[in-house]
Amino acid sequence: EPEVMRDELTPLGKLIGLVARALVDQPDRVVVRESDSEHHPRIELSVAQEDIGKVIGKDGRTAQSIRTLLAAAAMRAGKRAHLDIVD
């Protein structure tokens, strides 16, 4: 069945939004969407074009750190979440 992305967020999606807004220059342009999958949610993060480098970071380190934080939070909830940074 096709994956449905939703705009109302779980605590995992809210966490990603909070972290992303803290990193970027244009926090009002941060958009987080989540798939409906119960155990393997996919979180889509999109930011202003000028801010994409801030969430990816040098050699992708910032993105990797965000994914590590997401994995830790998801594990506590008994899930495995995946983060897509879309431009």
Side-chain angles (χ1 to χ4, degrees):
E1 98 217 31
E3 191 175 46
V4 179
M5 296 304 281
R6 34 189 193 104
D7 295 320
E8 60 279 7
L9 300 175
T10 67
L12 293 177
K14 289 179 180 154
L15 173 70
I16 295 304
L18 185 73
V19 171
R21 281 190 289 277
L23 293 169
V24 299
D25 289 332
Q26 298 184 56
D28 53 314
R29 307 245 328 254
V30 170
V31 178
V32 179
R33 299 174 73 221
E34 275 182 275
S35 70
D36 249 333
S37 170
E38 184 59 40
H39 295 293
H40 301 292
R42 190 165 66 84
I43 297 171
E44 243 179 36
L45 170 64
S46 103
V47 299
Q49 193 61 52
E50 313 82 81
D51 281 331
I52 197 88
K54 291 188 179 69
V55 292
I56 291 174
K58 187 171 163 64
D59 296 330
R61 287 194 193 117
T62 305
Q64 192 51 57
S65 298
I66 297 170
R67 289 190 170 102
T68 300
L69 192 60
L70 176 61
M75 199 178 293
R76 282 200 59 199
K79 300 177 179 184
R80 294 177 60 111
H82 178 78
L83 175 66
D84 283 332
I85 298 170
V86 294
D87 48 5

